[in-house]
Amino acid sequence: MSALRAATKSINPRSSVRVLGNLNQSKVKLAIIMLVGLVAIQVLHVLMGGFTAQFTYEISHLKSESRTLSTQADVLNSEVTSLSSNQNLVNVAHSLGMVSNVNPVFLRLSDGTVIGKPRRAQANERTISSNLVPNAAMTTDTNTKNLTLQNTDRVLASSTSSVAVASGATGSIQASPTN
Amino acid sequence: MSLLPPNQERQRFGILRLIVAGFLVLFVLHLLDLQVVNAGSINKVSLENRQKTRVIEAARGSIFDKDGNVLARSVFSYDVNVAPVNVGPITRDVDGASVTLSVDQIAGQLADILQMDKNELLRKLAGTGQYANLKKRVDASVYSQINSLNIPWIYFDSHLSRVYPNGAVAGNLLGFITSDGNTKAGLENKMNACLAGVDGKETYEQGVDGIRIPDSAVVAKQAKNGGDLKLTLDTNLQYFSQQVLETAVKNERADYGTAVVVEAATGKLLVAAEAPTVDPNNPGAAIERDRQAKVFNYSYEPGSTMKMITAATAIDVGAATPETKVIAPYKVKMPWGLWIKDSHVHPPMKLTLAGILRDSSNTGIIQIGAKVSRSVRVSYMKKFGLGTATSLHMEGESGGMLGDTKNWDLQTDKNSMFGQGIAVTPVQMAYAYQAIANGGVRLSPELFEGCKAADGSVTNYPVGQPVRVVSPATARSTIDMLEKVVEQGGIGKTAAIAGYRVAGKSGTAQIKEGNRYGNLYAISFIGMAPAESPKYVVAVMLYKSRRTTSSIGATPVFKQIMQQVLRAYRVPPSTTKSKNIATEWK
């Protein structure tokens, strides 16, 4: 007991108050740091949320654009396929009065011999007319009303062989209008 | 300042603490119950409420021809749906002014785009339901047009659909797919293992309003797209052949027509055309007969095109030469009382074997055929590929019909020499001639160049082993004789092509109606060019031709197609003359 009493007596009350004061100061500092940290985290969170929302919107927009472009590509692909189909080409050729020549003539380069008898193509009942092979996948076709093959008859009349027709009768075909 | 004695205040404070502690314990227990004890089931219910699973459709592979032209591919199509409960007028900003469109006006716009009746649309738009389908599987163009209208109560469901960009070109071979994705007939069905993909799965979350939460999707299983199938077909030639056949079938008032084009040296099938046929985009428009590959599935009695096989057999076994002489009368009475006649009345003719083929004499060919035993003739028929289906094993393919050859009656034995009493498919007959064109070696039909999987690996399909049918010398002799058919034959001449040596044989076969032969014929012509070194074989057949009842109705079709083949593949014109073979004798 005597030792305890001696120790108690040796503690200066003023120094005890200073120690407690120091302790409170460090607690306050800690609290402020924690508060600032929390605020910073919260601000960061809000900022991150904003950025995420913005990027999400941008991704969503790009996805939508990609879908639209993909759809446009499908539409254009379908149009190109339709316009370049045999069915459309035959109909255009037919509307221009073109007939397949079943009498081809060949030039043998080695001696310049012309093989085959050049004859003008004639339309008859066995000549293939317009397209006869159905195609329900065609989404568009060439508007044949506006097509012209100028001077065809004049060139055909003046030509002496189908070779000449093939090389000379280009005429003028308007850019492909579509239905 | 306390109103209570200190001991009571402490006591009450203790009670309060006990109450608070009690609540705290209750909360902790409840928390444990939620978070630990029943966490699994609660999570499950929650997930079920907000998470949805969606199948990611795998794209079916495309089908290409030999040049890479697309014959079949998968595209997105769209179901146009509406939530009737939300239907109402919409407001649009037009040139800065706000314009309101009534439901009636919107229905009018939709009716134009969807090509539907406006009143029908208005009926579908009425009501209080959450779902009504306006039209199923519209294409991207229609989808685009409707989407651009920005109608808030219209929404779409996308699906992968099959489209055949060339329509009915090779439609008989391709088969088709129903709207629910089931394969039906043809290559779509047969080659499903190559073409079909494996669907994937994705989960996503949705809010209480049923709207999908953006970017919540998680792919649980990646979809694996199907492989691309490449064929040996030539789309342009196939189209041309179908055009020619359509014209011929119409002109000849035939039931149907077929055309087969084969590359002689490789056995590649370039054309397997028919008319009429099916447009796989709209299979419902074709009758059942036309929704299949008649070139493989339908057999017919070949008639005189069979004489080539009888003649080649006799030469190959040494029983005859192209100049073997016979006297061919108009008709011969068989010992069993039946008659065998030629197609037209004529006095007895002194013909060689080449002359028999030129004039297509039945009474002549049975004399040549009789020089070879039945078993040997049958074995040659089989080597030529008759009686069994090809190694392609197409859907519903017929092997033709030789019947019980050992028990053939005597008339059938004779008839088989000129192509009656047995049945073949157009493809079988084309490859019998391919054997001759290829120096006596018959190749198995090749239709598939390979399947390219989504990962880039290529699978090739084995073709049957080549079969040596006759010797090269026999093949050459047979071609020489067939050339005389085109050079000198009454009908054969009409198959001649200026500038080229052509070898071929016509056929006018009777068709059985019940137990008797009827009045209609299967008329055909099978030929090869250029005859000095055949590159291509073309086989044409018109079934039940009503206008022309002889093969002269088939030769123009052969000629047009062969001309186009020679032109398309830039085959140089012939520069040599045919071999001089006697067709008659004194």
Side-chain angles (χ1 to χ4, degrees), chain A residues 123-128, chain B residues 247-248 251-252 547-548 552-553 556-557 560:
Chain A
N124 58 45
E125 63 170 6
R126 292 196 188 280
T127 306
I128 299 162
Chain B
T247 308
N251 287 341
E252 297 296 339
R547 181 179 170 190
T548 310
I552 203 163
V557 181
Q560 285 183 78

Side-chain angles (χ1 to χ4, degrees), chain B residues 9 15 26 41 57 124 160 220 225 232 260 264 266 282 322 332 368 372 401 406 418 451 460 462 491 550-551:
Chain B
E9 188 181 357
I15 291 168
L26 276 177
S41 58
E57 277 187 283
K124 289 185 174 184
L160 278 167
N225 290 339
T232 60
V260 178
T266 62
N282 184 21
V332 178
I368 299 295
V372 185
M401 192 274 296
K406 285 180 183 164
F418 51 86
C451 174
N460 292 312
I491 290 173
S550 78
S551 49

